[in-house]
Amino acid sequence: MASITLGGNPINTSGELPKVGSKAPDFQLVKTDLGVATLADFAGSKLVLNIFPSIDTGTCATSVRTFNADASKLENTKVLCISRDLPFAQNRFCGAEGLENVINLSDFKTGSFGKEYGLEIVDSVLSGLHSRVVIILDENGVVKYTEQVPEIANEPNYESALAAL
């Protein structure tokens, strides 16, 4: 269990992030067309897992915009934006913003991604949502970098995350 803060108040997550050097756990997440995406679907590509509570908050939206801008500059890299939002909300946001360099995936059906990756918030008003996390995977699905943002309202360290690629 990790302890982070929300507005300076301590909250907890369901576990620990995958360890650097370990193989990332497989996942089944819902795409914006309601199909299912798995980790194997992205084999051979470097991945930025941009994980957040909700696309409809300012900090989450900023992280999606920032990674969208940076993704167009990266070779063999895909940015997966993962939350518990419905795929319709994710699609609406990216459509309205003109964001085309990120892939939105939803954990709304089971929440199993948040549990498997140890980042589900287990208490507070955000209970059941994902904490703000960035995980970098290499082409073989090996974890190269993790960051669980200590204060959920803050942005991740984009430079450190992208440097891990």
Side-chain angles (χ1 to χ4, degrees), residues 1-2 4 11-17 51 84 107 110-123 126-133 148:
M1 181 177 299
I4 57 175
I11 60 175
N12 297 293
T13 64
S14 59
E16 300 296 326
L17 299 180
I51 307 155
R84 301 270 333 248
D107 191 22
T110 65
S112 62
F113 175 86
K115 292 176 179 76
E116 281 288 318
Y117 278 70
L119 51 85
E120 178 182 39
I121 298 169
V122 295
D123 51 20
L126 298 182
S127 181
L129 297 179
H130 296 155
S131 59
R132 187 173 318 288
V133 171
Q148 185 159 47

Side-chain angles (χ1 to χ4, degrees), residues 80-131:
L80 309 183
C81 293
I82 303 169
S83 69
R84 301 270 333 248
D85 290 300
L86 291 174
F88 314 111
Q90 294 173 331
N91 201 31
R92 172 196 44 78
F93 174 82
C94 286
E97 295 278 331
L99 305 180
E100 299 176 348
N101 297 320
V102 296
I103 299 166
N104 285 299
L105 298 172
S106 176
D107 191 22
F108 85 98
K109 283 192 175 183
T110 65
S112 62
F113 175 86
K115 292 176 179 76
E116 281 288 318
Y117 278 70
L119 51 85
E120 178 182 39
I121 298 169
V122 295
D123 51 20
S124 85
V125 296
L126 298 182
S127 181
L129 297 179
H130 296 155
S131 59

Side-chain angles (χ1 to χ4, degrees), residues 3-112:
S3 183
I4 57 175
T5 59
L6 170 63
N9 299 309
I11 60 175
N12 297 293
T13 64
S14 59
E16 300 296 326
L17 299 180
K19 300 290 182 207
V20 171
S22 69
K23 183 84 168 155
D26 196 10
F27 57 72
Q28 289 191 350
L29 295 166
V30 180
K31 301 184 292 186
T32 56
D33 68 1
L34 302 181
V36 173
T38 67
L39 183 58
D41 294 335
F42 304 101
S45 294
K46 296 175 189 175
L47 298 177
V48 176
L49 306 184
N50 177 34
I51 307 155
F52 47 85
S54 175
I55 194 79
D56 286 320
T57 66
T59 305
C60 300
T62 297
S63 74
V64 173
R65 286 184 201 107
T66 301
F67 280 122
N68 177 75
D70 293 339
S72 62
K73 303 171 193 167
L74 303 173
E75 186 176 320
N76 191 35
T77 302
K78 293 184 168 83
V79 177
L80 309 183
C81 293
I82 303 169
S83 69
R84 301 270 333 248
D85 290 300
L86 291 174
F88 314 111
Q90 294 173 331
N91 201 31
R92 172 196 44 78
F93 174 82
C94 286
E97 295 278 331
L99 305 180
E100 299 176 348
N101 297 320
V102 296
I103 299 166
N104 285 299
L105 298 172
S106 176
D107 191 22
F108 85 98
K109 283 192 175 183
T110 65
S112 62

